[in-house]
Amino acid sequence: MNLKFYIKTYGCQMNERDSESIASALIDAGFEMTLIEIEADILLFNTCSVREQAERKAVGKIGIVKKLKRKRPELIIGVFGCMAQSRKDELLIELPHLDFVVGTDKLYTIVDIVKEEIAGRRKIVMADVDSSVASLETMNGHIINSDVSNKDSIIASISLMRGCNRFCTYCIVPYVRGREKSREPSSILNEAEQLVARGIKEIMLLGQNVGAFGLDGRLRPDGDESPFADLLEELNKIEGLERIRFISPHPACFNDKLIQAVAALSKVCNNIHLPLQSGSNRILKAMHRGYTAEEYLSIVERLKALAPGVTFSTDIIVGFPGETDEDFNATRKVFNIVGFDNAFIFKYSPRRGTEAVELGDTVPIEDKEKRNHALLRDLKQITSGHNHAMLNKKVKILVEGVSKRNKNRWFGRTTSNNTVVFTPSPSILVGDVVELFIENTTSATLFGRLLN
Ligand code: SAH
Ligand code: SF4
Ligand code: F3S
């Protein structure tokens, strides 16, 4: 009987994609995937370090599975990803029941390490830095195996690059993911074509800063070059692919060429996740973000002018060291001018090794909470307004499947990333693009009637 593995993933979509690659590689090597933790012979944890809470969650969970190992000492438990990279051997001291710790540049070694663990148990830590492009391709070579992804899913993601060179002062990512490396466009196009041949209709392109794709580590494009826009143009030509989305473009790389590509390419969705972090120029500078609030707003304005109906989502950090009420009000102002349709608001969390640690954690937690809630209230008001304005309008959606709340209804998303729920007709299939008339709205959802 095949040994079974279970993977629990924390962190961002790049981690989700890495877990898919590792799962596919393990399946190719003869292991079987299970979604039931207690059934597994091999328990794997893909971890995140971006905020303290992300680490705490994973450490807590790995601590709990110790009792499984007490009952079944042959159970193999491994940790990989960003926290493995940042804490390396330290994790073996904190969590002595762990069998192996694998850093972000060595993910492709996991299959061999699992085999070694089965053959003869020993503690393995593999977290050295490997900047070769080969390791990057080995990871991505595993196209999502249909046993790994939901078989009916019509959405898949592709990692374009790894690492980050920007060193925003609060951020641990450049330390745990290493220097930025882009894949070859031909390899990405090949992966996209294979996914589309398998029935994928929407592709999400992933990178810490997709706008820096193909810039060979430079922080911003020279003039009007944009290898990322060139890649979008090539992907747009793939027959059978309906939609292209991407996260995250850093504002410093969102030049005119990219703005024009987003507006002109029919498959590139009208929803841009553009991380703002702060609307105060003083704080943006202390964060080393490389743009001002005015420059950020200028990207938004140009996109709104060229791509009517475009919507925006963002990431914000509240409580960066030294953030005053005045700084926060500047953030709130930009937040409302843009009118975000979605926002991930994070309370600043000091990360070891980053520059901002030197500044202390000066904003009291009550102020962080207050600022967080104020932005969430603003967001709710903005989205209800946007949703209400959709009433009695026609929209096109890509059908994704059965609604989680009501099994008789299905759902899909508009290119602007609005979720619309509707009652299907018997001829409609997942992956179809259908037209709906919006009959009802709430702050979170639109309800539509089929038109075709
Ligand atoms: N590369 C992306 C962000 C990746 S990390 C970009 O530059 O936009 C995802 C988000 O986590 C960031 O946008 C930021 O809002 C948040 N984040 C990162 N480090 C953080 C920290 N130390 N404390 C709180 N939030 C943080
Ligand atoms: Fe972190 Fe900044 Fe890189 Fe994003 S661009 S991953 S926030 S260092
Ligand atoms: Fe977390 Fe690593 Fe992603 S730190 S956000 S899993 S790149």
Side-chain angles (χ1 to χ4, degrees):
M1 218 182 65
N2 292 342
L3 289 178
K4 290 187 180 154
F5 69 90
Y6 170 92
I7 304 188
K8 169 96 184 139
T9 307
Y10 298 90
C12 62
Q13 293 193 48
M14 275 154 268
N15 258 21
E16 298 279 350
R17 177 69 191 99
D18 286 346
S19 290
E20 284 175 355
S21 293
I22 287 162
S24 289
L26 284 165
I27 290 170
D28 291 347
F31 296 94
E32 197 179 310
M33 185 162 101
T34 173
L35 300 175
I36 305 163
E37 189 184 290
I38 48 166
E39 236 183 55
D41 306 290
I42 304 149
L43 283 180
L44 300 172
F45 297 91
N46 190 359
T47 56
C48 172
S49 274
V50 79
R51 283 168 294 278
E52 195 189 333
Q53 210 193 350
E55 291 201 0
R56 227 187 289 134
K57 259 199 228 161
V59 169
K61 176 71 195 167
I62 300 163
I64 290 172
V65 299
K66 191 174 182 173
K67 64 177 188 296
L68 290 178
K69 190 148 177 161
R70 256 195 237 119
K71 277 193 222 146
R72 291 173 47 212
E74 74 284 4
L75 184 67
I76 294 170
I77 307 180
V79 174
F80 59 101
C82 297
M83 184 177 73
Q85 186 67 46
S86 94
R87 302 236 219 87
K88 302 186 185 70
D89 332 40
E90 244 181 73
L91 280 174
L92 291 183
I93 300 167
E94 193 173 347
L95 302 160
H97 56 297
L98 278 179
D99 295 293
F100 67 85
V101 176
V102 172
T104 49
D105 267 351
K106 291 286 175 188
L107 296 183
Y108 64 95
T109 64
I110 288 181
V111 174
D112 287 337
I113 289 182
V114 167
K115 286 181 183 164
E116 268 185 60
E117 291 289 350
I118 294 165
R121 190 165 292 270
R122 64 189 178 91
K123 301 277 178 193
I124 299 176
V125 176
M126 183 77 86
D128 45 327
V129 177
D130 178 352
S131 57
S132 68
V133 178
S135 65
L136 196 61
E137 284 304 327
T138 322
M139 269 303 301
N140 289 288
H142 290 275
I143 299 295
I144 306 167
N145 191 307
S146 54
D147 292 327
V148 172
S149 67
N150 171 356
K151 285 192 181 59
D152 296 329
S153 179
I154 47 145
I155 302 173
S157 42
I158 299 183
S159 286
L160 303 186
M161 54 214 292
R162 298 182 81 76
C164 182
N165 284 1
R166 296 206 65 92
F167 289 93
C168 301
T169 54
Y170 52 81
C171 185
I172 200 168
V173 170
Y175 303 92
V176 291
R177 288 256 167 177
R179 293 296 58 72
E180 197 172 275
K181 295 176 280 258
S182 297
R183 293 172 63 198
E184 282 301 319
S186 58
S187 162
I188 293 163
L189 289 169
N190 186 25
E191 189 172 334
E193 275 159 8
Q194 288 189 52
L195 289 169
V196 172
R198 231 198 59 201
I200 293 298
K201 301 278 183 197
E202 177 173 315
I203 288 181
M204 173 66 101
L205 305 171
L206 304 175
Q208 291 298 353
N209 175 10
V210 289
F213 174 78
L215 293 185
D216 301 320
R218 278 174 290 138
L219 287 186
R220 50 176 81 231
D222 289 332
D224 229 12
E225 66 168 345
S226 177
F228 177 58
D230 299 336
L231 179 73
L232 289 176
E233 205 174 319
E234 290 307 309
L235 288 164
N236 198 67
K237 292 178 190 157
I238 297 179
E239 224 166 290
L241 178 62
E242 293 284 346
R243 288 180 175 182
I244 304 166
R245 299 185 192 270
F246 51 83
I247 48 167
S248 293
H250 189 287
C253 295
F254 224 120
N255 61 6
D256 269 329
K257 178 161 176 181
L258 184 51
I259 291 175
Q260 275 159 20
V262 167
L265 298 172
S266 60
K267 296 179 184 176
V268 175
C269 287
N270 246 354
N271 170 253
I272 306 294
H273 183 75
L274 194 61
L276 170 65
Q277 312 301 358
S278 169
S280 151
N281 286 340
R282 201 177 68 81
I283 296 293
L284 284 170
K285 196 163 179 211
M287 288 175 162
H288 276 179
R289 283 295 286 181
Y291 54 84
T292 60
E294 292 73 23
E295 282 162 342
Y296 182 97
L297 284 171
S298 148
I299 300 169
V300 170
E301 273 161 27
R302 280 177 285 160
L303 275 164
K304 281 184 178 172
L306 286 178
V310 66
T311 57
F312 293 91
S313 58
T314 200
D315 291 347
I316 305 274
I317 297 177
V318 291
F320 183 83
E323 185 188 68
T324 60
D325 282 340
E326 201 181 319
D327 293 316
F328 175 66
N329 287 337
T331 300
R332 209 164 165 191
K333 192 168 160 204
V334 177
F335 195 90
N336 283 285
I337 293 175
V338 179
F340 292 110
D341 265 41
N342 200 6
F344 300 92
I345 301 153
F346 303 108
K347 285 168 256 171
Y348 172 69
S349 162
R351 307 314 292 136
R352 64 162 156 189
T354 60
E355 252 187 86
V357 164
E358 312 294 322
L359 305 173
D361 189 6
T362 63
V363 178
I365 182 70
E366 306 82 63
D367 288 348
K368 288 183 185 169
E369 296 281 5
K370 246 193 266 162
R371 291 171 190 175
N372 187 10
H373 282 120
L375 288 177
L376 287 174
R377 270 198 310 275
D378 287 358
L379 179 66
K380 192 153 184 205
Q381 200 158 22
I382 297 166
T383 51
S384 340
H386 284 183
N387 277 0
H388 195 68
M390 299 291 285
L391 204 59
N392 299 330
K393 296 233 162 82
K394 284 184 197 170
V395 296
K396 276 196 182 136
I397 63 156
L398 177 64
V399 178
E400 287 182 37
V402 178
S403 158
K404 285 184 194 90
R405 293 230 177 117
N406 180 342
K407 296 274 172 285
N408 299 319
R409 287 189 169 147
W410 284 24
F411 79 102
R413 277 174 305 150
T414 64
T415 108
S416 311
N417 214 21
N418 293 118
T419 300
V420 191
V421 173
F422 67 104
T423 305
S425 68
S427 60
I428 289 187
L429 298 172
V430 169
D432 285 350
V433 174
V434 298
E435 204 170 18
L436 300 170
F437 181 77
I438 303 299
E439 290 185 319
N440 199 357
T441 68
T442 66
S443 66
T445 319
L446 303 172
F447 296 88
R449 172 166 49 84
L450 269 174
L451 286 178
N452 51 353

